[in-house]
Amino acid sequence: MHRLFREHPQALGMSWWSHAVGAVRIGTDMTRAGAACFIHAIVPGWFTQTAGRTVERLHSHMIARKAGAANPGEWPDYEI
């Protein structure tokens, strides 16, 4: 159970709760951007920059979290 719930967050220097909140926020942003892509496929004039801006914002957010972490060298290049 420790491996499933605590190993990954602890390796990143995070609590289970802070990791869960961050993952939900990132997942919500990704889901919204995905929905915008589906809508954009039907109506190309809508949501023309939503996915790209979301990816850029999330990338900046993840880089900042990694840089501010207690052990940034332990963080993977990607992070959720």
Side-chain angles (χ1 to χ4, degrees), residues 15-70:
S15 70
W16 178 90
W17 183 251
S18 65
H19 181 273
V21 169
V24 167
R25 286 181 179 163
I26 290 170
T28 299
D29 284 350
M30 292 171 66
T31 300
R32 287 179 178 162
C37 287
F38 283 115
I39 294 168
H40 173 73
I42 297 166
V43 184
W46 290 353
F47 304 111
T48 59
Q49 298 178 15
T50 303
R53 284 189 303 219
T54 300
V55 169
E56 288 175 347
R57 187 179 72 253
L58 288 174
H59 180 261
S60 295
H61 171 73
M62 289 183 215
I63 294 299
R65 280 178 50 166
K66 181 177 180 177

